[in-house]
Every structure is written in C-alpha cells, then in structure tokens.
Amino acid sequence: MIPDTVVYVVDSNGDLGAALGALLKNYSIRVEAHATTRAFLEQAEQSTLTNSCLLLALDSICEDGLPLVRQVHERLPQLPLIVLCDTPDDALRDRLIDAGAIDAIGKSLVDAYIFTRLSKLLPADPGLPVIKPSTMRLPDGTEVTFRMMSPDDVDIERRFIAALSDRSRYLRFFSGLREVPAYLLKRLVDPRFPVSYALIATIADDTGERQIGVARYAPTARDGVAEFAVVVADEWQGFGVASQLLHGIMTAATVAGIRRIEGLVLHENRPMLRLARKLGFEESPEKDDGPGVVKVAKNLRGAAAGQTR
C-alpha cells in the first residue's frame, strides 16, 4: 500500500470522514474531511495530489451535484473524484462521469462497509452507527442487497459456488471446480479492507439469505495494483448485478489507495468483456495464461495507461 495516500472527503455532517479516518489510520492512509466543497478546494489547490482521491458526498439528489463535480474537475482535473449519493442509476452515473467524476455509487454502500469493518476492529465501541446495506430492485420486484462479505458468510459462499452452472464456474475459476478447498474458502470470506475486499449480492429466500453474486479484489506482487474477479449466479445475470458489484469494489479500491485493478477474463466470456469495456477497462492479451485469456485493467488514480508503481 502506498504510504503517502490521502483520501479527501467532502461531507456536510462529518460522519463519513470521521469513520474513514478511524479505519484507514491503521494502514498509513490519511483522511482529510471538509464540510463544503469550497473549503476543500481552498486547501487542495495548495496541496500535492499525486496519491489522493476525493469522495464527494451529496446531501441532495445527484442531479444537483453536477455543477459541483464540474467545478472540482475544472480546478483539479488530475484528482480522481467519486460521487456518493442515493442509488445512482446508470444514466445518472454516466452524466456524473461526463462532468468529471470517475464513478458514482450509493452512499449507503460506502457507509456500510466502513462501519462494518470498524465494528470488527472496535467491537467494544458503542458509538458506531448501524448502516443498512445498499439495495436495488429488479424488474420483477426482487430486492437485491449489497454488503461487505464477512467470515460469517462461509456457508452461503459455499452454497453459491456449488450452485453455479458448470459454465459459470469455468468462466470464473477457469476450471470445473465444484467445491472450494476449506483453506481457500476461509480466505475468500475474510477480506481485510483496505488490503483486500469482497462485496456480495444477496436475496431473501426460505433459508434467510441466498448469495447470488460476489466481486472482490486482492493484492498482487506489484505495489498499488490489485486483482479483481466478479461472478453472478446464472439466473440473475443480465439485470445489472455484476455492474453494481464492480462499481462497489472499484470505489473500495480507490478509497484504499489502490492505483490500478486488473483481472483475467476468458475470451469467450463476452458479457464480462462488454461490462469491462463499458466501465472503461483496457484489454490486452495475457500470453502467460494462454491465447484464450484477456487481461482487463483500469487505472483508478489518473496514472498514464499501463503505468504502475
């Protein structure tokens, strides 16, 4: 992890900045919180922003934040900016990105993973708020919940992998693996944000909760570069679940100081390649893993294409 990373937060009530600062100080990542965009800009224009990003939390509807996003981008075009607001859809996200943001994500999702992680680190702290996970409603009325994975999810993760079709399992693991070894399963359900992170999608069913998708990133041997993977159960593909999962881990990775995320995708996995292109990932052949594998990669902090630290 890059030691001089700074995460700037603009949040009028101050809760997000305080919580993020309490968490990331353990990882040598500094958080500077401001109540207004004006206050942030006055300081940021005098600062070095090489390894920084901005979380801009909007109190009102996302459309009202478009002028703020344009203002920040015009004055600090090199600074990666993520907008936090209430459940942005793809059309609104595109407008915010056109205005200068690198992404837009539901604020409840960010709050949830920060406070969930803090509750694990500080179990005796009675002052931590309980944040409801982010949700989305599918066309048939099904409500999908997005939340950070925890060690308690070992059973639903095991059932999720076992229930994948042979093709989905092959596209995700590049093999017909049906049951994950215990040591690997334990590692999968215990992400250590900010070094690693996993976001799952679940629905309610007769057993209480059923996992239908997961996205995660994990560190690589290169400083500031993480590897990601996304998989969604067959019957829930094509509804935007994978897009929400990937947006979530990109935001988490940016907050964590990661500069670039990469993933290996089989050439025949057309839906994943289409999603990666839509989200601005670059593609290149991955010769070490065979001609049927494509590497997709995206810079999260404004580095030149292909540049890593």
Side-chain angles (χ1 to χ4, degrees):
M1 202 60 59
I2 301 171
D4 55 349
T5 294
V6 181
V7 177
Y8 294 97
V9 179
V10 174
D11 181 26
S12 60
N13 62 33
D15 290 345
L16 178 61
L20 194 58
L23 174 59
L24 296 185
K25 71 178 181 180
N26 299 307
Y27 304 93
S28 300
I29 297 177
R30 186 159 51 92
V31 175
E32 292 190 9
H34 300 272
T36 65
T37 304
R38 176 182 295 180
F40 160 72
L41 287 171
E42 289 176 353
Q43 177 177 330
E45 288 179 326
Q46 309 301 318
S47 305
T48 301
L49 303 174
T50 304
N51 294 319
S52 305
C53 69
L54 169 64
L55 302 183
L56 177 59
L58 301 179
D59 293 327
S60 56
I61 59 176
C62 278
E63 287 89 340
D64 293 345
L66 287 168
L68 287 178
V69 173
R70 292 192 185 97
Q71 180 186 20
V72 173
H73 182 64
E74 289 171 0
R75 294 172 65 171
L76 301 169
Q78 77 279 26
L79 180 67
L81 186 162
I82 297 173
V83 176
L84 310 178
C85 55
D86 292 333
T87 56
D89 58 26
D90 284 344
L92 182 53
R93 183 180 286 114
D94 288 344
R95 292 176 62 195
L96 289 163
I97 290 173
D98 288 342
I102 66 169
D103 205 352
I105 196 166
K107 187 174 183 294
S108 63
L109 181 59
V110 178
D111 287 351
Y113 78 67
I114 290 173
F115 287 111
T116 299
R117 188 63 183 148
L118 277 178
S119 69
K120 300 292 185 182
L121 293 173
L122 308 170
D125 189 338
L128 294 176
V130 176
I131 305 294
K132 291 184 178 180
S134 176
T135 62
M136 68 178 290
R137 191 170 295 278
L138 302 185
D140 67 354
T142 301
E143 185 172 83
V144 180
T145 296
F146 298 89
R147 62 172 178 79
M148 187 173 74
M149 178 168 272
S150 77
D152 295 336
D153 294 320
V154 63
D155 288 335
I156 64 171
E157 171 76 351
R158 182 189 294 111
R159 291 197 299 268
F160 168 70
I161 295 173
L164 290 173
S165 69
D166 290 342
R167 176 168 174 77
S168 288
R169 197 177 302 108
Y170 171 68
L171 293 177
R172 166 62 182 89
F173 296 103
F174 297 7
S175 75
L177 176 73
R178 180 171 292 276
E179 185 172 345
V180 177
Y183 77 91
L184 179 56
L185 186 63
K186 182 178 180 180
R187 188 188 312 166
L188 290 175
V189 301
D190 192 16
R192 303 299 177 93
F193 181 80
V195 176
S196 60
Y197 179 71
L199 179 69
I200 64 174
T202 69
I203 60 172
D205 70 1
D206 294 340
T207 66
E209 189 178 30
R210 175 186 169 196
Q211 182 178 332
I212 64 168
V214 60
R216 63 180 76 250
Y217 73 74
T220 68
R222 288 170 292 165
D223 191 17
V225 180
E227 182 178 15
F228 81 93
V230 182
V231 62
V232 174
D234 296 62
E235 64 269 36
W236 301 102
Q237 294 174 10
F239 296 106
V241 175
S243 178
Q244 289 294 104
L245 287 168
L246 193 47
H247 277 293
I249 62 166
M250 285 195 297
T251 298
T254 304
V255 171
I258 292 168
R259 298 181 65 182
R260 181 179 175 88
I261 59 172
E262 300 176 343
L264 298 180
V265 182
L266 287 173
H267 192 268
E268 61 191 272
N269 192 351
R270 298 298 184 183
M272 185 64 228
L273 290 175
R274 283 196 298 269
L275 176 59
R277 293 184 194 115
K278 179 181 178 181
L279 298 183
F281 283 75
E282 298 176 347
E283 296 177 23
S284 61
E286 185 59 15
K287 297 179 181 178
D288 293 342
D289 290 273
V293 179
V294 178
K295 176 185 283 186
V296 296
K298 182 178 178 68
N299 292 317
L300 301 178
R301 291 176 167 266
Q307 176 184 348
T308 59
R309 174 170 174 171

